[in-house]
Amino acid sequence: MDERRTGILCGLGAYGLWGLFPLYFPLLEPAGGLEIVAHRVVWSLLFIAVLLTVLRAWPQVRATVADRRSALVLLGAAVLIAANWLVFVYGVNSGHVVETSLGYFINPLVSVLLGVVVFAERLRRLQWVAVGIAAVAVAVLTVDYGRPPWIALSLAATFGLYGLMKKLVRVEAAPGLFVETALVVVPAVVVLAVLHAGGEGTAGTAGTGHLLLLASAGVATAVPLLLFAGATRRVPLSTVGLLQYLTPLMQLAIGVFVNQEPMPPARLAGFVIVWVALAVFTVDGLRTARDGARRRAAETAPAPAR
């Protein structure tokens, strides 16, 4: 029970911190999205390096780098998560927090579709129903926005593909994050150098407080990921799946009640349809997990004495 409680607290911590990101990233202005992501890469690498030293986990990093396949997969993961960060920062700092929340609402359904396309997984009937309802929601929101919700779709696609890449390689959170970040740190440093050479970099021109905020991006990146890893090791994935809705709910609340972003009836209808799809998807997942647990219990139960 203690392990389960710790896992739930880790999950709430991870998703709660991610949910607060729409309040955090505007603090990094006047830095633009590209500069913020580049700083996030550089400072994350330094923070994780210190953490690996404390944990004495450098042998795991060397083993990961020595495996060429793992390194290539993590390179793909690094590019995808950097793209996800860039879209997210752009969405938040351009006043589209509500749309970013939509991306993380539909992310579980995108992950299911990726399982069908990449791993030839078969969807259950209710899963297909959930995907179909989500497609209707996207159509409704396209009419409301006057365009497809590209920010939401890009966030869902990049994070879904990132999860797919992580599924293809087994490595602990801290070593894996270090390798991912190290593979893209050179482009990040080049971006910062070009921005500063052109007079567009803000790290040295907007005060010490601003520089410290940019440096804090490393901690803000690593801590939720480490808490997430702690949660997945201690509680069932079905529980983690329920906890993940905390992030987009918080982001939606921030967008509507803090940033005062508009929520016209058509947009609200689109979100309600998404929530219906997620309800169908979640009920199916919980029912399947319960039936599987009963089946395993029946298979391991001792035979009656004769």
Side-chain angles (χ1 to χ4, degrees), residues 287-297:
R287 188 179 67 177
T288 302
R290 181 194 61 196
D291 293 344
R294 288 178 178 175
R295 187 164 52 252
R296 288 190 296 272

Side-chain angles (χ1 to χ4, degrees), residues 30-289:
L34 196 59
E35 184 181 6
I36 290 173
V37 170
H39 274 285
R40 197 171 178 182
V41 169
V42 172
W43 294 109
S44 295
L45 186 70
L46 295 176
F47 178 79
I48 296 296
V50 172
L51 185 63
L52 289 171
T53 301
V54 172
L55 298 176
R56 299 180 180 180
W58 286 106
Q60 297 179 47
V61 174
R62 288 191 288 270
T64 302
V65 174
D67 185 343
R68 185 177 180 181
R69 177 184 176 277
S70 294
L72 287 173
V73 171
L74 288 175
L75 174 60
V79 172
L80 287 165
I81 199 63
N84 181 271
W85 292 347
L86 186 59
V87 174
F88 182 82
V89 172
Y90 166 78
V92 167
N93 287 1
S94 63
H96 294 88
V97 174
V98 169
E99 191 175 345
T100 65
S101 73
L102 175 64
Y104 293 108
F105 274 125
I106 65 177
N107 177 71
L109 301 175
V110 171
S111 296
V112 166
L113 286 177
L114 287 173
V116 173
V117 174
V118 178
F119 297 112
E121 296 177 357
R122 289 190 173 185
L123 295 189
R124 296 181 293 275
R125 181 167 56 87
L126 282 180
Q127 288 178 315
W128 277 118
V129 171
V131 171
I133 294 173
V136 172
V138 171
V140 170
L141 290 167
T142 297
V143 173
D144 172 66
Y145 281 112
R147 57 170 176 81
W150 292 119
I151 293 175
L153 295 175
S154 298
L155 288 172
T158 52
F159 199 75
L161 287 168
Y162 174 75
L164 176 66
M165 290 292 181
K166 299 289 281 185
K167 188 178 177 67
L168 295 175
V169 59
R170 292 192 174 274
V171 60
E172 292 295 322
L177 182 58
F178 180 84
V179 174
E180 286 176 33
T181 310
L183 289 170
V184 293
V185 73
V186 172
V189 171
V190 170
V191 165
L192 292 176
V194 170
L195 288 174
H196 281 278
E200 298 179 20
T202 64
T205 61
T208 303
H210 178 65
L211 178 59
L212 291 175
L213 279 171
L214 288 173
S216 72
V219 179
T221 297
V223 170
L225 287 172
L226 296 172
L227 288 172
F228 174 75
T232 55
R233 286 196 300 268
R234 291 177 173 87
V235 297
L237 285 178
S238 58
T239 302
V240 175
L242 290 175
L243 292 176
Q244 74 178 335
Y245 297 131
L246 176 63
T247 296
L249 282 172
M250 290 178 64
Q251 292 174 356
L252 177 63
I254 290 170
V256 174
F257 298 113
V258 178
N259 294 0
Q260 301 293 312
E261 293 184 23
M263 180 62 82
R267 191 168 306 170
L268 179 60
F271 271 82
V272 170
I273 296 171
V274 169
W275 296 333
V276 171
L278 289 174
V280 172
F281 178 77
T282 302
V283 167
D284 175 74
L286 292 175
R287 188 179 67 177
T288 302

